[in-house]
Amino acid sequence: MILIGQYDSPFVRRVGIAMTLYGIVFEHRPWSTFGDADKIRAYNPLTRVPTLVLDSGEVLIESHLMLDYLDSLVAAEDRMFPVAEPARRRALKVAALATGMADKSVSLFYERRLHRETSDVWVNRCRAQISGVLADLESDRAEHATPYWFGDHIGHADIAVAAAMRFLVEAHQGLIDMTAYPALAAHSARLETMPAFQTISQPFIAPA
C-alpha cells in the first residue's frame, strides 16, 4: 500500500501510526498538497491528503474510511475501534471530536496564512470550537484512569487526539495554554514517547 501525505498532517499521521501499530507494510510518499498537487491529483481528484493506494490499485480518500478498512484486515479482538456497542460509538465520538478539532485548526491556520484580510468572525468561531472540544475532551479523559482512553490497549481515539493536539500546538504556537488541560497534555505526552509515534512524525511545515 502507498500512503500519500506529509506527517505534519494529523490526518495522515493517524493513518500512518495505525498502519505501523498493526504491522502493515506500506510505502510513504510525503507529498504536499501545495508543492506536489499534480502528483496527488493523479490519485485523488480532491487533491487532499491522506490518500491511501491499496495493493489492488483502489484509492481511499478519507482517514476514517482508511482506518475502517485497516480494521477489516485484523481480527476483531485486535481492532483499534471496538466492535461492540456502546464502546464503539463512544470511541467514535472521541475520534470525531479530535478530528473535527484538527479540521478547525487547519481552517484557522489557512485563514490567517492565506488571506490578506482575515475574518474576525471566522477566526473567533474556529477558536471557540477548538476551545469547546478541548474542554469536552479534557473532562472525558480525566474520568478515565486507564492507561489509554478506553482501557489497557491503544485505540484509534487515542491516536486521533494525540495527532490533533500535536498539530494544534505546533501550527498555533501560544494559542492554547496546555496547563489548562492536564489530562490531555499527559495523554498526548505519553503517546508521543511510543516508537510508532516517534517514527511517524514530522515537525510542522507551513505551506509556502
Side-chain angles (χ1 to χ4, degrees):
M1 284 187 271
I2 302 170
L3 178 61
I4 298 173
Q6 297 186 343
Y7 288 148
D8 60 351
S9 160
F11 306 101
V12 177
R13 193 174 183 225
R14 73 187 294 232
V15 176
I17 290 171
M19 295 178 80
T20 301
L21 290 173
Y22 276 150
I24 296 173
V25 177
F26 65 97
E27 177 186 342
H28 178 222
R29 296 184 183 175
W31 294 344
S32 163
T33 54
F34 285 82
D36 304 298
D38 289 341
K39 294 179 182 178
I40 297 172
R41 193 176 297 111
Y43 294 94
N44 183 350
L46 291 172
T47 321
R48 294 175 59 182
V49 295
T51 293
L52 183 65
V53 184
L54 306 186
D55 292 338
S56 65
E58 182 182 356
V59 178
L60 304 183
I61 60 174
E62 290 289 343
S63 63
H64 182 75
L65 176 59
M66 294 172 195
L67 297 181
D68 184 68
Y69 172 73
L70 296 177
D71 279 359
S72 75
L73 302 179
V74 302
E77 62 270 19
D78 296 327
R79 294 175 185 174
M80 287 191 285
F81 269 136
V83 176
E85 299 290 0
R88 179 172 174 79
R89 68 174 181 268
R90 289 171 179 167
L92 285 168
K93 179 182 178 181
V94 170
L97 284 170
T99 55
M101 180 179 70
D103 185 61
K104 292 301 174 181
S105 299
V106 172
S107 294
L108 180 58
F109 178 82
Y110 285 155
E111 177 68 21
R112 290 172 159 176
R113 178 85 177 197
L114 301 182
H115 294 172
R116 182 169 298 175
E117 295 184 8
T118 60
S119 166
D120 290 340
V121 172
W122 183 249
V123 167
N124 290 335
R125 178 178 174 84
C126 288
R127 293 185 65 171
Q129 289 169 306
I130 291 168
S131 295
V133 171
L134 286 171
D136 193 274
L137 290 176
E138 171 69 18
S139 176
D140 195 338
R141 186 65 179 100
E143 292 177 358
H144 295 78
T146 49
Y148 300 102
W149 213 290
F150 297 104
D152 295 328
H153 302 285
I154 192 170
H156 291 310
D158 297 291
I159 299 169
V161 171
M165 295 295 295
R166 169 79 173 267
F167 178 83
L168 175 61
V169 169
E170 291 195 356
H172 299 285
Q173 296 183 23
L175 177 66
I176 301 297
D177 177 10
M178 286 309 300
T179 62
Y181 307 101
L184 287 180
H187 174 89
S188 297
R190 182 173 181 271
L191 266 62
E192 290 291 353
T193 66
M194 296 176 63
F197 282 76
Q198 295 187 354
T199 299
I200 310 300
S201 178
Q202 173 188 318
F204 176 69
I205 301 174

